[in-house]
Amino acid sequence: MVKVVQPAYGRVFQDDEGAAELAKVLWKETVAALKEAEAVTLANLARADRYVRAKVEFENLYPTAYQQGPVLKGEEGGEYFNYRWSACEKLNERMLKLEKAMFGEATVKAGREKPAAGKVAADEFLGPDNGIRQ
C-alpha cells in the first residue's frame, strides 16, 4: 500500500496563505477521489500534486482573466491578446490531462439492449409474417 503524504503547500505558496489553504483542501479532495477509484499509486500522487498546484494557479488567475476578457485594448488604441486568458486555457488543458491520467476517460454506461432490426414487441401477436402482406 502506498503511503499518502501531503506536500508542504505552506512552503510552496509562501507568500499566499489563502493559496496554501486552498491547495490543502484540493489535495484532500483529490486523494479522496483517488481512493474511491482505487487508483492511489505513487505516479497518481505525483500527478495529484501537479494537479493541485495547477488548480490553485487557475483559481488565482481566472477571476482577473474573466473580468478582462480574451482581448485587451492597448494604450494607443490597438488590441492584444490577454496573456492571463491564455494562461487559464493552458492550465485548463494541463488539469484535464492530469485528470485523464489519474482517473481515465469518462465512459458512458451502455443503455438497454435494442431489439434486433426488424423486431418489434408486437411480433408475437402478428404471427410469422409479422403482419406484412405481400
Side-chain angles (χ1 to χ4, degrees), residues 1 3 6 10-11 13 18 27 40 42-43 48-49 52 72 80 88 97 101 106 114 120 122 131-133:
M1 178 165 196
K3 184 177 179 183
Q6 179 178 330
R11 284 188 298 183
F13 300 103
W27 171 261
V40 178
L42 288 175
D49 180 36
V52 166
L72 298 173
Y80 62 98
C88 285
K97 286 179 183 177
K114 293 184 179 181
V120 294
I132 300 173
R133 308 264 178 203

Side-chain angles (χ1 to χ4, degrees), residues 58-69:
F58 179 85
E59 293 297 329
N60 283 332
L61 278 175
Y62 188 75
T64 304
Y66 176 76
Q67 185 180 30
Q68 293 174 338

Side-chain angles (χ1 to χ4, degrees), residues 20-37:
E21 290 304 312
L22 176 60
K24 291 174 186 177
V25 169
L26 291 170
W27 171 261
K28 288 178 184 174
E29 290 175 355
T30 306
V31 169
L34 286 171
K35 286 180 179 178
E36 185 177 320

